[in-house]
């Protein structure tokens, strides 16, 4: 999926910039056809923002910027709302914190990071930036037992691991050619399924770096479609991404 080409072979996919070309999401139970879907993620915060715009069948439109940053979740009406006084409005959405953490750590980049971290008994932020093979060997030599398990379904590897920062939630990732084609997260009575396909380097043609990402992303919650997005272009070349928490959201509390 991509690593820094150095002698250390460190796992250093730090950030993501992703544009969806087409698809739909569910808004209050109604399908809404995407006109904009832009994700910026930083796996070291960890956090992300998803800038969404879509249109219903009756031509009415909907837009929102969904944010996650560490222990905070909120929505903005424009990217970076309230970071400049008088510009934009931020609304705390702590009730979406778990959902957004699951979306991050079950994502095409997030799932491998979470699985590696659990395999060595660490949080992803602790294991980040280390050579996974060396890290696994070192932790095993130290007697550290991880919580990631591996089974096989024919030629498909199946990894099971806890979802970071979501107590009790467990993810099961089915791999094909070492890439996750399906990640299922069980959290209490809820089951969220992510299906990934058409892996390729979706970076700009002038900046291909052989770091793969899923072109098709389908998300279902308890069997109902939530999101269906097809990639247009990505950037995983360590671009600068921050997700600062507005003061009003901090004051509202966790």
């Amino acid at each position: 999926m991509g690593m820094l080409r150095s002698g250390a072979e460190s796992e250093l996919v730090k950030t993501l910039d992703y544009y969806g070309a087409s698809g739909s999401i569910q808004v209050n139970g109604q399908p809404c056809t995407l006109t904009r879907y832009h994700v910026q993620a930083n796996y070291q915060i960890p956090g992300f923002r998803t800038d969404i715009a879509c249109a219903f069948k009756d031509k009415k439109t909907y837009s929102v910027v969904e944010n996650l940053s560490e222990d905070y979740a909120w929505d903005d009406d424009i990217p970076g709302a309230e970071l400049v006084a008088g510009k934009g409005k931020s609304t705390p959405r702590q009730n979406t914190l778990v959902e957004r953490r699951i979306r991050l750590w079950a994502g095409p980049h997030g799932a491998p990071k979470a699985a590696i971290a659990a395999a060595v008994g660490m949080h992803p932020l602790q294991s980040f930036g280390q050579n996974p093979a060396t890290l696994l060997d070192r932790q095993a030599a130290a007697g550290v037992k991880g919580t990631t398990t591996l089974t096989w379904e024919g030629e498909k590897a199946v990894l099971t691991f806890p979802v970071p920062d979501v107590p009790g939630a467990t993810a099961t990732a089915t791999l094909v050619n070492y890439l996750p084609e399906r990640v299922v997260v069980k959290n209490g009575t809820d089951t969220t399924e992510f299906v990934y396909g058409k892996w390729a380097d979706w970076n700009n043609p002038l900046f291909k770096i052989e770091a793969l990402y899923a072109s098709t992303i389908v998300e279902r919650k308890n069997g109902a479609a939530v999101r269906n997005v097809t990639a247009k272009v990505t950037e995983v070349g360590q671009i600068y991404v921050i997700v600062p928490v507005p003061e009003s959201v901090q004051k509202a509390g966790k």
Side-chain angles (χ1 to χ4, degrees):
M1 294 179 65
M3 65 172 62
L4 186 66
R5 294 190 176 190
S6 69
E9 293 187 336
S10 302
E11 198 285 282
L12 282 174
V13 177
K14 297 178 182 178
T15 57
L16 169 71
D17 192 46
Y18 168 98
Y19 285 90
S22 60
S24 64
I25 66 170
Q26 290 288 313
V27 179
N28 298 322
Q30 299 297 317
C32 196
T33 301
L34 291 171
T35 56
R36 182 176 67 250
Y37 194 84
H38 180 203
V39 179
Q40 292 181 303
N42 184 321
Y43 301 104
Q44 291 182 289
I45 294 176
F48 68 88
R49 70 174 57 85
T50 306
D51 185 5
I52 299 170
C54 61
F56 298 102
K57 288 183 179 180
D58 62 5
K59 306 302 182 183
K60 291 182 179 179
T61 61
Y62 170 83
S63 65
V64 68
V65 183
E66 300 175 343
N67 300 278
L68 166 70
S69 185
E70 298 184 85
D71 296 328
Y72 293 95
W74 72 99
D75 288 348
D76 288 336
D77 59 352
I78 60 172
E82 297 188 10
L83 297 182
V84 175
K87 291 191 176 182
K89 172 65 177 176
S90 298
T91 304
R93 290 290 305 278
Q94 286 300 104
N95 60 308
T96 67
L97 182 64
V98 167
E99 172 187 294
R100 294 180 187 183
R101 281 177 170 170
I102 289 173
R103 190 169 286 134
L104 176 70
W105 294 121
H109 284 165
K113 294 177 184 295
I116 291 169
V120 297
M122 292 180 172
H123 189 279
L125 301 188
Q126 296 173 304
S127 63
F128 191 91
Q130 302 185 50
N131 181 319
T134 301
L135 181 60
L136 284 162
D137 290 343
R138 186 174 73 239
Q139 295 296 84
V144 176
K145 293 184 178 180
T147 53
T148 296
T149 61
L150 169 65
T151 58
W152 292 88
E153 293 180 357
E155 296 183 351
K156 296 183 178 182
V158 180
L159 295 169
T160 302
F161 52 93
V163 178
D165 303 320
V166 184
T170 301
T172 301
T174 303
L175 311 186
V176 175
N177 295 327
Y178 305 104
L179 297 168
E181 71 165 7
R182 185 170 179 260
V183 181
V184 177
V185 177
K186 293 189 178 296
N187 181 37
T189 59
D190 290 328
T191 299
T192 308
E193 177 188 32
F194 302 85
V195 180
Y196 304 120
K198 296 184 180 179
W199 289 81
D201 181 348
W202 294 99
N203 273 22
N204 184 291
L206 298 177
F207 194 52
K208 298 291 188 183
I209 58 174
E210 297 181 12
L212 307 184
Y213 204 78
S215 169
T216 58
I217 299 175
V218 177
E219 178 183 340
R220 302 185 185 96
K221 186 170 184 179
N222 298 325
V226 176
R227 298 190 178 186
N228 187 334
V229 187
T230 300
K232 179 180 181 181
V233 64
T234 63
E235 175 55 77
V236 293
Q238 317 301 37
I239 65 166
Y240 184 64
V241 175
I242 59 172
V243 192
V245 183
E247 185 176 353
S248 65
V249 175
Q250 295 183 47
K251 287 181 177 179
K254 300 178 184 179

